[in-house]
Amino acid sequence: MAGMTEMKITEEEAMPEARSADSAVEPARHRPMGATARKAVERVTELGEQTVGEVRCENPFIVTENVDVYYGDNHAIQNVTLEIGKSEVIALIGPSGCGKSTYLRCLNRMNDSIESARVTGKIALDGQDIYGSDLDPVALRARVGMVFQKPNPFPKSIYDNVAYGPRIHGLAADRAELDDIVHTSLDRAGLLKEVKDRMDEPGTGLSGGQQQRLCIARTIAVNPEVILMDEPCSALDPIATARIEDLIDELSQDYAIVIVTHSMQQAARVSKRVAYFHLGRLVEVDETDKIFTNPRHKLTEDYITGRIG
Amino acid sequence: MQNLTLILLLAAMAGGAFYAGRRRSFAVVGGPAHGAQLHSLPGYYGYFTLIWCLLPALGLFFVWVLLEPKVIVALIVQSLPDPQRMVSEGELNLLVNNIRNLAAGDAISGDADAVMRDAAERYNEYLAASRRVLATLTLGIAGLGGAIALRRIRPEFRARNRVEQVVLYLLIAASSIAILTTIGIVLSVLFEAIRFFREVSLTEFLFGLTWSPQTAIRADQVGSSGSFGAVPLFTGTLLITTIAMVVAVPVGLMTAIYLAEYSSSRVRAVAKPLLEILAGIPTVVYGFFAALTVAPWVRTAGEAIGLEVASESALAAGLVMGIMIIPLVSSLSDDAIHAVPTAMRDGALGLGSTRSETMIKVILPAALPGIVGGILLAVSRAIGETMIVVMAAGLAANLTANPFEAVTTVTVQIVTLLVGDQEFDSAKTLAAFALGLVLFVVTLCLNVIGLMFVRKYREQYE
Ligand SMILES: Nc1ncnc2c1ncn2[C@@H]1O[C@H](COP(=O)(O)OP(=O)(O)OP(=O)(O)O)[C@@H](O)[C@H]1O
Ligand SMILES: [Mg+2]
């Protein structure tokens, strides 16, 4: 526990530029995490049906009720109920294989492309059932953008990468409008300065961090309502990570963001709420600082103190 | 001694050498317990001894066996009385053959006279002597080599390095076989083609419009000196290849797209092996399918819409050849599509592309180098394909772009030039080599261009 606090401080010293002040979005940042506070509460120990903490939120935008996901016989997500608010950042954490990516992929129906995957339960986006028969997954994915673990720019020019989404969705009436969308998106992703003279070069020629920001630009160019991020920084160095985290801060004003991460520091820095998954179950959800200072479930505590995972 | 026995003896000696080498390596360090003092594992000392025992002996054996007949024949001819020696080369050959057959106790042409019987006897004597010397020398060298190797074994001797060196040379020799064969074939085709071009000018061959390779075999025969303008063959090949590609590329590509992206795994499990069966059908079968089923069908279909169609048409051959090439195109394209990372697919789908948009805008462009490579390979295959065209396209060297007429191709003409009786240095026969050279150059260019294309795209996308 002490080690974790220390690490946080050193990181803050090392990367002051990443700490742009906005405490509404990063509530955990300036609060000390006291080991004493943690001991006071009695913890839930069994891995039961019931999620500990507050699964509901004030202004829900995505509502998932009793969601189960099966890969063939493998019950990968078990009875998960969770609400995600409009313009909030929620972090999904948990040991490898616990189903974070699977849950994330339910939210934009990317699991459809896996033959063995089966999703049951109710998932609603802004009140609309996204697994309903009248909903087109293609249209859904334009509203729920996704950024992947490994940067995956298309083998096209930087410009064409960003213009891809607007083109297929017909968002731009003419070339000038398209240029405009591409430039704003790159700008919001913090990449414009670095690439504005090389828009025709292949996107695959950028550095890893730049590629990831290009993928984020590509996603926001479609103007989605939600952005899903599956370990977006795991292939990046600390500086590139800090830039992406800043970006998440900024984007969180307009978008609901669901981010999967293995870094507790990152979860603490960027998210408003944290959801802890374990073996396909949603064990605990709460405000970020509550989870990190005072988890109510034994498994959550073990995970964030480094005893599992 | 029979050569087979000799080989078996050598093998036995080699085995013995291996064990002797191993034991000797233990002996020089004072027993298996001290094996760690050896530079290499004991087995390497065994192999080292084996190599010394076997390689020189085998080398001598093969050189000897290669030279033996020539030397013996030369000796026999030397010893023949003058009248028999002073004949033409052809007659001398016949004589030597007869002597050999006589020596082996086979039937000979004509009667055997005393001189020949004498020679045959001497032939047998020489042969036996040669075999005796060979056996002694080979076994002697094997023994000697083994002994030298054994004497060199010391604890610090680097047997492993030596053995690995020899193995390396063996590997190099093995890989040179293919390369040397290619070079040999190219050179022989080249030289024969040059001989052809001494008789027929290059420009006539490359730009002449009539192909009629009949030359008179005997000087007194009526007939012509032949006409070797290969343009009709080139256009014929081009026509049939084009038709084949028009069939194979779209069908193969669509098959690949369906199998790679749309089909369920169950359909795929059935369709892929079936396609591979299609690829495994011998081309002769395609050939009679083309000649007996497709060609008449094309003719009836053509007549139904009022077209004049020859019973052997470029169209029939091209269609069937296209079908034959479909599996090649589809499986190479399928590989190329599969090689596009799933991340690409997910990225496109995640942005809200439909499957077809993902396919057309992201996956196909990324897979393009592989697909183009596959298509170029298919073109090479189509140009080199022989059997189907022989059976279905006919032999008439028509200069036409009409797919309903009979045409002929480069490969077909090579076949017809070389089938049947011919002299090996007539222009007609040599023309086959010139055509072969053209074929070789064209396919080589195709492959080089294809590779350049593929590489350029790779650089762009990596
Ligand atoms: N395509 C798939 N087919 C079958 N099973 C899968 C598939 N993807 C995931 N699973 C299974 O579902 C479970 C959850 O996997 P998931 O990828 O969601 O874990 P995760 O929490 O994202 O792990 P990580 O942190 O390692 O990314 C695992 O048991 C995994 O084996
Ligand atoms: Mg994952």
Side-chain angles (χ1 to χ4, degrees):
Chain A
M1 193 53 228
M4 198 171 158
T5 319
E6 244 170 55
M7 204 156 106
K8 221 174 119 51
I9 290 164
T10 26
E11 255 194 298
E12 282 188 13
E13 279 166 358
M15 300 183 295
E17 81 280 5
R19 312 271 76 83
S20 64
D22 186 351
S23 57
V25 191
E26 296 181 285
R29 185 183 300 150
H30 301 296
R31 282 170 222 186
M33 294 198 259
T36 42
R38 181 166 296 168
K39 280 207 191 85
V41 189
E42 188 144 322
R43 313 227 187 273
V44 183
T45 46
E46 83 282 7
L47 177 57
E49 285 286 313
Q50 209 53 49
T51 302
V52 181
E54 194 44 72
V55 295
R56 309 283 163 193
C57 70
E58 273 163 31
N59 191 1
F61 189 60
I62 302 175
V63 180
T64 59
E65 301 273 2
N66 308 100
V67 171
D68 288 80
V69 182
Y70 304 83
Y71 290 111
D73 293 332
N74 179 6
H75 199 167
I77 288 284
Q78 300 169 26
N79 196 25
V80 169
T81 300
L82 180 64
E83 288 182 356
I84 296 166
K86 206 160 193 148
S87 71
E88 85 167 350
V89 181
I90 182 165
L92 313 184
I93 61 171
S96 189
C98 67
K100 305 178 296 291
S101 302
T102 303
Y103 178 74
L104 198 69
R105 290 165 65 93
C106 289
L107 302 182
N108 67 345
R109 291 188 59 173
M110 281 296 278
N111 284 333
D112 288 13
S113 58
I114 299 171
E115 232 177 290
S116 64
R118 194 158 55 81
V119 181
T120 64
K122 186 173 159 258
I123 304 180
L125 177 76
D126 205 7
Q128 188 186 10
D129 181 7
I130 66 167
Y131 280 84
S133 53
D134 56 338
L135 191 123
D136 177 10
V138 169
L140 170 73
R141 289 185 200 129
R143 296 173 64 192
V144 184
M146 187 160 194
V147 176
F148 297 84
Q149 175 170 3
K150 258 182 64 197
N152 58 347
F154 300 135
K156 297 173 185 295
S157 72
I158 293 171
Y159 185 95
D160 286 338
N161 260 285
V162 184
Y164 178 86
R167 275 193 183 127
I168 57 170
H169 296 298
L171 298 184
D174 52 24
R175 178 77 190 198
E177 219 171 297
L178 189 62
D179 281 352
D180 192 46
I181 293 178
V182 170
H183 279 91
T184 0
S185 307
L186 282 171
D187 192 27
R188 297 191 64 186
L191 191 62
L192 186 62
K193 251 190 270 148
E194 289 151 73
V195 302
K196 67 171 176 297
D197 301 324
R198 41 195 287 213
M199 294 289 244
D200 293 329
E201 285 172 36
T204 41
L206 296 171
S207 77
Q210 289 173 326
Q211 286 189 14
Q212 195 61 301
R213 276 179 283 149
L214 177 64
C215 292
I216 293 176
R218 186 174 76 180
T219 307
I220 55 187
V222 186
N223 201 16
E225 295 154 58
V226 182
I227 301 179
L228 311 175
M229 298 186 168
D230 195 349
E231 301 179 42
C233 302
S234 64
L236 305 183
D237 69 273
I239 297 187
T241 303
R243 301 204 57 153
I244 304 259
E245 286 176 8
D246 282 350
L247 184 58
I248 293 173
D249 265 4
E250 263 159 53
L251 297 176
S252 67
Q253 288 160 14
D254 305 307
Y255 306 101
I257 295 179
V258 187
I259 177 172
V260 172
T261 175
H262 276 290
S263 152
M264 249 84 70
Q265 286 81 17
Q266 183 169 65
R269 282 194 298 263
V270 301
S271 66
K272 181 154 165 274
R273 288 162 81 216
V274 170
Y276 173 67
F277 283 77
H278 190 95
L279 290 177
R281 292 194 188 278
L282 177 55
V283 172
E284 181 165 356
V285 195
D286 226 318
E287 302 284 313
T288 304
D289 50 347
K290 275 196 199 154
I291 288 271
F292 283 121
T293 54
N294 200 0
R296 285 165 56 193
H297 202 290
K298 182 82 172 58
L299 287 168
T300 319
E301 185 191 25
D302 286 351
Y303 182 71
I304 62 176
T305 52
R307 259 171 278 173
I308 34 172
Chain B
M1 190 184 301
Q2 286 293 308
N3 283 345
L4 184 64
T5 338
L6 185 56
I7 294 278
L8 287 179
L9 265 178
L10 258 185
M13 279 186 78
F18 177 79
Y19 282 104
R22 239 173 83 101
R23 285 189 52 176
R24 169 102 183 121
S25 73
F26 285 133
V28 293
V29 289
H34 306 282
Q37 291 173 23
L38 287 169
H39 169 270
S40 314
L41 289 173
Y44 281 110
Y45 294 93
Y47 284 120
F48 175 74
T49 321
L50 180 148
I51 287 168
W52 265 86
C53 168
L54 203 57
L55 276 192
L58 271 185
L60 175 84
F61 178 79
F62 281 116
V63 172
W64 191 286
V65 169
L66 269 181
L67 293 183
E68 188 187 62
K70 289 214 176 77
V71 174
I72 294 184
V73 166
L75 285 176
I76 296 281
V77 172
Q78 284 271 282
S79 68
L80 284 176
D82 275 352
Q84 267 92 347
R85 230 163 6 124
M86 296 295 132
V87 289
S88 78
E89 202 181 320
E91 283 173 56
L92 194 61
N93 270 341
L94 190 67
L95 184 65
V96 169
N97 256 337
N98 275 338
I99 293 175
R100 265 210 215 123
N101 288 345
L102 200 59
D106 292 342
I108 59 164
S109 60
D111 288 327
D113 56 15
V115 179
M116 276 173 73
R117 265 195 219 104
D118 211 26
E121 220 161 86
R122 239 171 307 125
Y123 185 91
N124 277 338
E125 271 166 32
Y126 287 152
L127 199 62
S130 153
R131 290 285 153 85
R132 270 196 303 278
V133 176
L134 173 63
T136 334
L137 271 183
T138 316
L139 294 179
I141 286 183
L144 192 67
I148 291 177
L150 280 179
R151 282 181 57 96
R152 292 182 60 181
I153 293 176
R154 297 270 178 282
E156 70 282 357
F157 179 70
R158 304 179 165 215
R160 177 171 51 81
N161 307 32
R162 299 302 178 93
V163 172
E164 281 174 354
Q165 193 88 53
V166 173
V167 171
L168 179 68
Y169 288 137
L170 275 180
L171 296 181
I172 292 176
S175 48
S176 338
I177 288 179
I179 298 169
L180 289 180
T181 314
T182 315
I183 294 177
I185 290 177
V186 171
L187 285 184
S188 86
V189 169
L190 188 66
F191 284 126
E192 299 293 320
I194 288 174
R195 276 175 69 191
F196 171 75
F197 288 125
R198 266 195 225 121
E199 290 178 39
V200 179
S201 78
L202 186 62
T203 40
E204 190 202 328
F205 176 71
L206 286 182
F207 303 110
L209 300 184
T210 14
W211 178 263
S212 122
Q214 296 316 320
T215 46
I217 292 181
R218 289 190 313 276
D220 56 341
Q221 227 172 6
V222 283
S224 59
S225 58
S227 157
F228 294 95
V231 170
L233 310 191
F234 300 152
T235 54
T237 308
L238 194 67
L239 181 62
I240 289 186
T241 305
T242 311
I243 296 172
M245 297 321 286
V246 164
V247 174
V249 170
V251 177
L253 202 55
M254 286 194 253
T255 311
I257 291 174
Y258 173 70
L259 285 182
E261 294 292 324
Y262 291 90
S263 68
S264 69
S265 52
R266 232 177 306 144
V267 172
R268 208 178 140 78
V270 177
K272 271 226 123 180
L274 279 181
L275 268 175
E276 268 145 32
I277 291 177
L278 197 60
I281 296 175
T283 54
V284 190
V285 178
Y286 280 110
F288 62 69
F289 174 60
L292 303 181
T293 314
V294 178
W297 176 80
V298 165
R299 191 155 72 142
T300 347
E303 274 164 2
I305 54 171
L307 284 170
E308 188 81 15
V309 182
S311 61
E312 290 179 319
S313 64
L315 188 60
L319 283 178
V320 174
M321 196 194 281
I323 289 169
M324 180 195 79
I325 291 172
I326 287 172
L328 185 68
V329 175
S330 80
S331 90
L332 288 173
S333 311
D334 189 56
D335 290 347
I337 290 173
H338 262 275
V340 177
T342 337
M344 233 30 96
R345 212 160 282 143
D346 284 351
L349 289 174
L351 285 171
S353 333
T354 61
R355 266 173 158 189
S356 60
E357 282 164 347
T358 309
M359 193 69 219
I360 294 168
K361 299 210 166 122
V362 176
I363 300 195
L364 280 186
L368 196 63
I371 293 175
V372 170
I375 290 177
L376 283 174
L377 266 185
V379 173
S380 291
R381 175 83 197 271
I383 290 179
E385 171 52 36
T386 314
M387 220 51 220
I388 294 176
V389 246
V390 168
M391 294 169 85
L395 298 175
N398 292 324
L399 181 56
T400 173
N402 179 355
F404 301 114
E405 271 185 57
V407 295
T408 191
T409 68
V410 174
T411 48
V412 171
Q413 285 309 310
I414 293 181
V415 172
T416 44
L417 288 175
L418 294 184
V419 169
D421 297 333
Q422 64 253 303
E423 277 180 275
F424 269 105
D425 48 3
S426 76
K428 182 183 164 195
T429 317
L430 291 175
F433 289 95
L435 289 176
L437 186 67
V438 171
L439 216 51
F440 174 77
V441 170
V442 169
T443 29
L444 186 74
C445 288
L446 272 178
N447 289 351
V448 170
I449 295 170
L451 280 180
M452 265 162 46
F453 195 62
V454 166
R455 212 167 288 150
K456 208 173 147 205
Y457 265 89
R458 267 231 186 98
E459 273 163 20
Q460 202 173 328
Y461 286 152
E462 252 163 23

